[in-house]
Amino acid sequence: MSETLPKTYYITTPIYYVNGLPHVGSALTTIVCDVLARYHRLKGEQTFLLTGTDENATKVTQAAEKAGVPPMEFVDGLAGAFKECWGALHIANNDFVRTTEPRHTLAVQEFFSRLREKGYVYADTYEGWYSVSDETFFRDTEVKDGIAIESGKPVVRVKEENYFFKLSAFTEPLLAYIEANPNWLLPEFRKNEVVAFLKEGLRDMCITRANKGWGIPVPGDESKVIYVWFDAVINYLAVTGWPHNPEWESLWPADVHLVGKEIFVRFHATLWPAMLMALDLPLPKQVYAHGWWTVGGQKGGKSGASLPHPTRLAQFLSERSGAEPELAVDALRYLLCREMNFGPDTEFTVENCLRRFNNDLANDLGNLLNRTINMMNKYYDGVVPEVETPDTEIVALAESVCADYERSLSVFRFNDVLEATWRLVGRMNKYIDEKAPWGLAKAANNGDTESAKALAQTLTACLEVTRIVALLTSPFMPTASAAIYQQLGITEPLETVTWSDTTWGGLKAGTKVTAPKPLFPRIQELTVADTILYELGSANPPKTEETPKPVSETPPATPETEVKTDNFISIDDFLKVELKVGEILAAEPVPNTTKLLRLTVQSGEDETRTILSGIAEYYTPDELVGRQIVLIANLQPRKMRGIESQGMLLAADVDGKAVLLTPDSLVPVGSKVR
RNA sequence: GGCGAGGUAGCUCAGUUGGUUAGAGCAUACGGUUCAUACCCGUAGUGUCGCGAGUUCGAAUCUCGCCCUCGCUACCA
């Protein structure tokens, strides 16, 4: 049946977690997928691009509560913001899936039921320990003194039935599959990470949580909802209409899942393929993971800097350069794809973008078009002349660039794709200089027919290259390409152009070019004040921004964290905590650890104690000795690395960095704090 | 500490299986040109290719050791 249906080229972005507006990280992923989709359409393939939003995390209800709106209204708003952003960035997606839609929830429930029928999902009752912060269950033997030994997190006693996916059964099949399909997971070095992860052995995964009124209920057990990650990945399949739409196989399997590196190893390269294997469904043909943008050479979030919001940045480019807003959007698409390394992480700065805007877009491409059109108008009244033979060198170069373009694109090296394209642009600017058409024009005017021929050959070469480059850049900059076509006098709409038009000679003699108009005006001011950066990066309250960051938010390991909204304690509870001022007498690193310091603290007139503290990355032993600090004196002692820690220091947590609290002035050691 | 990835020009990075004077772009300096968006073109560069040793006729490239950076992981009560 389905063999008769032509397979559509199917590309997916991750579905984005709706806890904030998109930034250039998520924009990069989405733009790159769009570029890929537009390229395949150019190749004449039926192509389907999917993006969407991930809305079932239980955190959503808390965020909604905070915002003071019902959860559904809350996610409607954010899903709308994503759609709007992608529209503004010229993303031509064929569909936008929301995990709160019936088509998704039905597919997820069906998927779950089928796994259960096949014995890959089993229920298990736990009377045991549960760590809220780990979202993990522990056995009695794994817990000591109310603490999970493995994670060191506190646990609570629960009795709960949950459902588990037999992920452990797929360690070997996945390893075998990776072995047999060397280009399945890309890039290579990330595939190796997956292999390393698998070799440690997969463990069964708890795939349900207590139903608190948000999420997809487990079929036949309304007391549970399906774990958000398990639910989310099914979107790729749900959109095909699986299982009831008979044509679902015209889309599935996806040709590419393109994701950020943080959701690659655990989810897109292991969990999701294992789920598909369990139901004997075909696996996606390729899964590609790109790196992140960094800010300030490190995790942007720590330095306080963050990634700009894409539409604001495009608007800024437009304001700075004077380019039309829609062309500035295309410029941004180009800049993101050109700057990103598509393997490792890449440093992102607005100033680099501005510089590259000038160099690549204004000076190289824009100016090539501009000078070409100008000369055409000047020497030929804008009418494309007849040419007997094209310049074979340029023709050959164009061909080789097209070949490199396709080769790089096939391995998702988008920066190389553009670099190859710009070889052609660069050669042409030099070519004009070598041929000096202005000299040829003069000679031709004086009756030199050879010069006249050379002039025609030169200018048509410029026009052809510009046309071909416009075509090559069209997946990246569709609006700009259309504008180039328009200036070249090509009336055929860009939508009807195909890859075969990259062959030489597409521009017909007699075509009349239009008046020149700079596409990307040069930017005069290349420096960017901090206040502008802040504005670009923090259109939202800085609080919700969390950035070096990737691409789709949520740390994969804990997509949901339960937080009690009403977590007041009584004054009596507080008074149970015995806080004291202490003085650090000695400090030394604990061997074989990176974070732990062993501190000897005087905490009373003749009372000293040993405290282990995880601040070695932020304080050297030397600078600690002699300092007064605040400590919790009656904390249950705990052994770490064989040393008993008798208390805990208080420190502010600044983006994960510890900053010690000290008294405002020297106080007697042992002073009570309250 | 364990695992993984890296350390190449001022900056961002290329350098396939070891082979002649180690590359590109940007930034810098000087020169040229004028069709063009103060644009384009040319020239000049500087590099102990992280450090040390080894294999080899020959190493940025292979081996070993060390140093440093980044990621994951354990220790952070």
Side-chain angles (χ1 to χ4, degrees):
Chain A
M1 48 154 249
S2 59
E3 276 100 74
T4 59
L5 289 169
K7 172 72 176 71
T8 295
Y9 196 88
Y10 180 26
I11 305 165
T12 70
T13 77
I15 49 174
Y16 299 103
Y17 181 50
V18 286
N19 67 344
L21 298 175
H23 49 68
V24 293
S26 31
L28 174 81
T29 318
T30 310
I31 288 168
V32 155
C33 287
D34 186 55
V35 166
L36 209 52
R38 287 176 185 270
Y39 166 76
H40 282 279
R41 292 186 192 117
L42 199 58
K43 295 286 282 186
E45 295 166 56
Q46 187 72 32
T47 303
F48 193 91
L49 172 62
L50 174 69
T51 188
T53 41
D54 176 16
E55 306 180 2
N56 287 325
T58 58
K59 243 196 220 165
V60 164
T61 55
Q62 292 148 23
E65 203 170 304
K66 232 177 191 174
V69 294
M72 201 58 217
E73 199 175 304
F74 181 77
V75 295
D76 280 350
L78 280 167
F82 271 84
K83 282 183 184 171
E84 197 179 320
C85 182
W86 300 152
L89 292 181
H90 304 159
I91 306 299
N93 51 304
N94 298 81
D95 202 344
F96 187 104
V97 64
R98 301 179 52 185
T99 57
T100 47
E101 290 173 335
R103 60 171 171 167
H104 176 75
T105 57
L106 290 175
V108 169
Q109 289 178 326
E110 181 69 27
F111 204 106
F112 187 97
S113 299
R114 291 192 184 197
L115 283 178
R116 190 163 48 184
E117 279 160 29
K118 297 194 89 171
Y120 285 113
V121 165
Y122 59 93
D124 211 344
T125 303
Y126 267 88
E127 159 125 36
W129 303 104
Y130 180 68
S131 159
V132 174
S133 50
D134 296 330
E135 283 202 49
T136 306
F137 295 91
F138 293 99
R139 295 187 170 78
D140 286 345
T141 57
E142 295 175 321
V143 172
K144 198 182 159 194
D145 300 331
I147 300 284
I149 294 167
E150 185 187 314
S151 68
K153 307 280 186 193
V155 293
V156 293
R157 191 76 181 172
V158 294
K159 179 175 182 181
E160 201 172 295
E161 180 169 74
N162 264 304
Y163 295 89
F164 288 77
F165 174 53
K166 274 194 188 167
L167 187 57
S168 59
F170 296 95
T171 302
E172 290 308 320
L174 282 169
L175 281 169
Y177 191 86
I178 291 168
E179 174 91 13
N181 298 276
N183 292 319
W184 181 46
L185 302 177
L186 290 172
E188 180 92 16
F189 72 92
R190 294 214 191 280
K191 172 173 83 179
N192 296 339
E193 289 179 14
V194 174
V195 171
F197 178 68
L198 286 170
K199 283 189 171 159
E200 289 181 11
L202 295 172
R203 293 196 296 181
D204 288 356
M205 181 186 250
C206 178
I207 55 168
T208 54
R209 296 291 185 269
N211 187 347
K212 293 179 180 166
W214 190 255
I216 301 178
V218 168
D221 184 354
E222 293 282 321
S223 72
K224 304 282 174 228
V225 292
I226 293 170
Y227 174 55
V228 66
W229 263 106
F230 195 83
D231 131 31
V233 286
I234 296 173
N235 89 85
Y236 305 126
L237 181 63
V239 166
T240 67
W242 178 89
H244 300 302
N245 180 343
E247 292 184 6
W248 68 274
E249 281 175 289
S250 70
L251 266 186
W252 195 258
D255 290 83
V256 191
H257 290 324
L258 206 144
V259 301
K261 66 177 184 180
E262 78 284 3
I263 53 175
F264 182 66
V265 173
R266 281 164 195 271
F267 299 103
H268 288 82
T270 51
L271 173 64
W272 176 227
M275 288 163 64
L276 290 166
M277 280 178 170
L279 291 191
D280 294 317
L281 290 166
L283 269 45
K285 291 185 186 162
Q286 284 190 310
V287 188
Y288 177 85
H290 65 70
W292 297 347
W293 295 115
T294 58
V295 177
Q298 51 173 322
K299 287 195 165 185
K302 284 188 179 172
S303 64
S306 60
L307 295 170
H309 291 160
T311 53
R312 271 293 294 130
L313 185 56
Q315 196 184 333
F316 174 69
L317 282 174
S318 173
E319 286 161 9
R320 267 281 163 105
S321 67
E324 287 173 24
E326 296 305 308
L327 289 174
V329 166
D330 274 15
L332 178 65
R333 289 167 58 104
Y334 170 85
L335 295 171
L336 292 180
C337 292
R338 182 65 185 78
E339 285 282 306
M340 175 51 82
N341 281 322
F342 293 102
D345 295 349
T346 302
E347 173 74 5
F348 181 90
T349 72
V350 175
E351 292 191 1
N352 280 350
C353 286
L354 296 186
R355 215 188 312 282
R356 200 177 272 289
F357 180 97
N358 267 3
N359 290 324
D360 294 5
L361 296 176
N363 296 348
D364 291 349
L365 176 60
N367 190 44
L368 173 63
L369 172 72
N370 196 245
R371 63 201 302 210
T372 300
I373 300 287
N374 262 296
M375 286 189 282
M376 281 300 299
N377 283 316
K378 203 163 267 187
Y379 306 139
Y380 290 103
D381 285 328
V383 181
V384 179
E386 289 282 356
V387 171
E388 290 169 20
T389 53
D391 189 316
T392 53
E393 182 228 314
I394 303 299
V395 175
L397 177 66
E399 280 172 7
S400 102
V401 162
C402 289
D404 288 348
Y405 180 109
E406 296 206 85
R407 196 174 310 120
S408 293
L409 203 133
S410 70
V411 289
F412 310 105
R413 309 252 342 154
F414 297 91
N415 55 341
D416 288 345
V417 169
L418 290 168
E419 195 181 348
T421 308
W422 255 250
R423 286 214 313 273
L424 199 47
V425 174
R427 177 69 190 103
M428 233 37 218
N429 275 322
K430 187 172 172 183
Y431 185 77
I432 292 174
D433 214 56
E434 288 168 2
K435 297 288 178 182
W438 44 95
L440 295 172
K442 222 173 236 173
N445 253 343
N446 294 335
D448 181 351
T449 56
E450 282 307 308
S451 291
K453 273 189 191 170
L455 180 62
Q457 189 191 53
T458 303
L459 283 194
T460 51
C462 292
L463 291 166
E464 269 301 290
V465 164
T466 315
R467 183 187 66 82
I468 291 169
V469 167
L471 207 151
L472 295 179
T473 54
S474 66
F476 298 86
M477 303 193 286
T479 310
S481 292
I484 292 173
Y485 262 47
Q486 191 270 328
Q487 287 201 26
L488 290 174
I490 303 172
T491 50
E492 190 185 5
L494 197 62
E495 292 73 42
T496 64
V497 169
T498 66
W499 181 259
S500 62
D501 291 307
T502 54
T503 52
W504 195 269
L507 195 63
K508 298 289 173 273
T511 303
K512 188 153 185 345
V513 305
T514 63
K517 184 181 176 228
L519 290 181
F520 302 107
R522 206 177 147 74
I523 295 170
Q524 299 306 324
E525 179 55 58
L526 288 176
T527 55
V528 181
D530 287 348
T531 53
I532 294 178
L533 288 177
Y534 181 77
E535 200 183 314
L536 289 174
S538 315
N540 259 351
K543 198 171 157 281
T544 56
E545 263 309 297
E546 228 289 279
T547 312
K549 243 224 160 156
V551 176
S552 75
E553 344 298 353
T554 325
T558 55
E560 310 180 33
T561 308
E562 306 292 335
V563 179
K564 268 196 197 156
T565 45
D566 114 6
N567 55 355
F568 298 116
I569 60 169
S570 70
I571 183 74
D572 291 338
D573 289 337
F574 171 71
L575 289 175
K576 289 180 193 162
V577 182
E578 195 180 313
L579 296 171
K580 279 186 182 179
V581 172
E583 184 172 324
I584 298 174
L585 299 177
E588 57 178 312
V590 178
N592 295 341
T593 67
T594 52
K595 293 186 184 173
L596 279 184
L597 287 183
R598 175 188 189 152
L599 307 174
T600 307
V601 177
Q602 179 150 29
S603 54
E605 266 190 44
D606 32 37
E607 172 191 304
T608 60
R609 56 176 78 205
T610 298
I611 292 179
L612 296 188
S613 184
I615 55 172
E617 289 176 301
Y618 315 110
Y619 291 93
T620 61
D622 284 351
E623 60 183 319
L624 287 173
V625 174
R627 282 187 61 164
Q628 291 201 329
I629 42 81
V630 181
L631 62 98
I632 302 176
N634 61 340
L635 194 67
Q636 178 161 46
R638 171 150 187 256
K639 260 192 176 180
M640 286 176 284
R641 295 274 152 174
I643 304 166
E644 189 174 79
S645 179
Q646 302 152 325
M648 172 178 171
L649 303 190
L650 295 191
D653 179 343
V654 183
D655 284 326
K657 252 172 140 167
V659 178
L660 283 182
L661 298 186
T662 56
D664 186 35
S665 57
L666 279 185
V667 302
V669 164
S671 299
K672 202 173 172 195
V673 176
R674 59 192 187 109

